[in-house]
Amino acid sequence: MTKFETRAIHVAQDPDGRTGGVIPPIHMTTTHKQDGVGNLREGFEYNRAGNPTRQALQEALAALEGGRFGLSFSSGLAAEDAVIRGVLVPGDHVILANDMYGGSYRLFARVYVPWGITFTIVDLNNEAELEAAFVAGKTKMVWIETPSNPMMTIFDIAKVSAVAHKHGAVAVVDNTFATPYLQRPLELGADIVIHSTTKYLGGHSDVLGGAVVLNDGELAKKIEFIQFAVGAVSSPFDAWLTHRSIKTLALRMDRHCFNAQSVANYLETQTGTVSAVYYPGLESHPGHDIALKQMDGFGGMISFKLVGGIAAAKKFCENTRLFTLAESLGGVESLVNYPAEMTHASANGTPIEVPGDIVRLSVGVEHISDILADITQALDKI
Ligand SMILES: *Cc1c(COP(=O)(O)O)cnc(C)c1O
């Protein structure tokens, strides 16, 4: 098999057969001509079931994660919904981690609990706590997000997946923060990988999307059925944009990693204003050793805690100039976020509530000296 960077550029991107266009056209169509009733061309009929541009993206996603099946959705949460409804039925139980994306928590707590799913929140790094959370005959899924959003906790994918399998549950990994360039959960024993491709895979803050990649044919059929029957698919244009962006993923991630490590190192020296820095590339990070083992780099996301508490955190967020105050992450431009009132507002009052003195940075690929200068001037304003 060719290397990651090569697959990112060439899988399902053969020049157009008819015209030789080096980039395949966007198939902006909802339906395909049949050469006789049920006599389909390459299996295409109605495009909720399949579209050539989406199919190309799905093949690329599978190739990057090293999985057999890739499915593309209109958002990360749509991808999660297809996995959850494909795998679980009312009455089932799920184990969640004590730090995760607020929207994923909201999906379980506000959509699936009324639908008859129950969940337990544990520290997935605490094996005794994890073991004790399984409900015999009912626990069907363990949900792992690593590095987690926003506290950058690292969970051991191989270890947690093995425990899940021992109890007959599937291990799902939200690989949004790491991307397949830095972490491939299927190789580590997980069953299903999900992504918000809105973030690093899309990489330019201009297209929403989600992905599911897995190896098991039976599970793939169930999730693909939800994709088809419910219909939260990527549009051809969204699929094309995402596929185009994937071609530079490796280049972008190398720079995100370099810039974020530099910022984390710098923040750790600012002990007058910064009381803690959460970045798995720091030796001081409790998950550093596991990250070294299961990741090929530490990514572009950092969270940190301010000595001055909530007021200082908000002041920092409102005084950056290069870092734009906005939700989302993973784009080429640097963003700053105040999780407690922005991305994780829905987690307030829940077991995964984010403290108010935390700031989250999505470190972009601008020049590092401009990035550091902006952080310095914003810290000076506190
Ligand atoms: C953004 C995000 C999601 C949700 O994806 P959408 O594309 O916004 O629906 C899920 N998981 C993580 C870790 C995220 O950051």
Side-chain angles (χ1 to χ4, degrees):
M1 191 160 54
T2 52
K3 300 289 188 194
F4 186 94
E5 293 81 345
T6 312
R7 274 178 272 144
I9 293 169
H10 290 290
V11 169
Q13 286 290 283
D14 287 344
D16 180 41
R18 187 171 73 83
T19 66
V22 168
I23 302 304
I26 306 174
H27 290 267
M28 275 302 204
T29 186
T30 56
T31 191
H32 292 258
K33 178 183 191 302
Q34 305 192 6
D35 294 324
V37 177
N39 186 3
L40 310 180
R41 297 192 191 177
E42 296 183 28
F44 292 110
E45 43 180 333
Y46 185 59
N47 282 219
R48 180 165 18 74
N51 169 279
T53 308
R54 187 171 97 234
Q55 184 171 304
L57 171 62
Q58 295 186 153
E59 287 174 23
L61 290 165
L64 296 186
E65 286 285 359
R68 288 171 61 207
F69 306 100
L71 297 167
S72 165
F73 294 85
S74 53
S75 74
L77 285 171
E80 294 181 23
D81 175 58
V83 166
I84 295 160
R85 279 198 280 175
V87 175
L88 304 178
V89 294
D92 286 346
H93 172 257
V94 180
I95 296 174
L96 306 176
N98 53 0
D99 188 47
M100 66 191 296
Y101 173 62
S104 303
Y105 176 81
R106 182 178 56 208
L107 190 59
F108 280 105
R110 304 267 305 271
V111 178
Y112 297 116
V113 166
W115 192 62
I117 301 286
T118 54
F119 64 79
T120 304
I121 292 178
V122 303
D123 173 1
L124 292 176
N125 285 323
N126 181 332
E127 209 167 329
E129 215 182 286
L130 172 59
E131 284 281 355
F134 283 89
V135 183
K138 287 197 182 287
T139 305
K140 300 288 166 56
M141 183 181 283
V142 179
W143 192 273
I144 310 162
E145 187 183 304
T146 181
S148 69
N149 182 357
M151 296 309 293
M152 303 302 296
T153 307
I154 301 293
F155 298 109
D156 189 326
I157 294 172
K159 214 168 177 179
V160 176
S161 299
V163 175
H165 294 159
K166 193 174 80 186
H167 292 274
V170 299
V172 179
V173 175
D174 182 335
N175 204 26
T176 299
F177 271 30
T179 83
Y181 182 60
L182 302 179
Q183 177 171 276
R184 287 162 304 283
L186 299 178
E187 292 173 4
L188 297 164
D191 303 286
I192 300 173
V193 175
I194 72 107
H195 279 281
S196 169
T197 62
T198 312
K199 316 296 169 52
Y200 287 103
L201 291 167
H204 297 73
S205 305
D206 55 11
V207 57
L208 283 171
V212 176
V213 181
L214 71 169
N215 279 316
D216 184 282
E218 285 302 306
L219 282 179
K221 248 187 239 158
K222 290 178 178 177
I223 298 166
E224 193 175 8
F225 177 74
I226 301 288
Q227 184 197 39
F228 163 70
V230 176
V233 295
S234 312
S235 78
F237 188 56
D238 287 0
W240 183 86
L241 271 176
T242 304
H243 202 155
R244 186 188 65 161
S245 296
I246 281 173
K247 295 173 186 180
T248 56
L249 179 66
L251 291 167
R252 287 185 281 111
M253 291 316 292
D254 282 341
R255 181 62 74 89
H256 282 297
C257 290
F258 172 80
N259 284 353
Q261 184 75 52
S262 308
V263 169
N265 292 346
Y266 171 74
L267 287 172
E268 239 187 358
T269 66
Q270 302 305 297
T271 49
T273 44
V274 176
S275 53
V277 184
Y278 307 93
Y279 184 66
L282 293 173
E283 275 173 32
S284 60
H285 190 286
H288 181 65
D289 289 342
I290 301 168
L292 271 177
K293 196 178 64 177
Q294 71 186 14
M295 302 177 79
D296 297 327
F298 307 107
M301 298 301 298
I302 298 175
S303 289
F304 63 100
K305 190 184 255 201
L306 280 301
V307 171
I310 293 175
K314 287 190 181 173
K315 202 147 188 208
F316 178 89
C317 291
E318 288 166 357
N319 278 290
T320 55
R321 294 178 192 147
L322 183 66
F323 281 79
T324 303
L325 180 62
E327 302 202 6
S328 201
L329 59 107
V332 291
E333 65 289 305
S334 291
L335 299 179
V336 59
N337 167 50
Y338 182 66
E341 286 184 24
M342 293 169 63
T343 51
H344 289 67
S346 69
N348 290 337
T350 78
I352 64 150
E353 179 169 308
V354 179
D357 53 359
I358 296 291
V359 169
R360 190 190 75 184
L361 300 177
S362 174
V363 182
V365 299
E366 300 96 338
H367 196 283
I368 186 61
S369 59
D370 294 325
I371 289 174
L372 290 174
D374 189 40
I375 291 171
T376 304
Q377 69 79 26
L379 285 176
D380 283 347
K381 299 246 166 60
I382 292 172

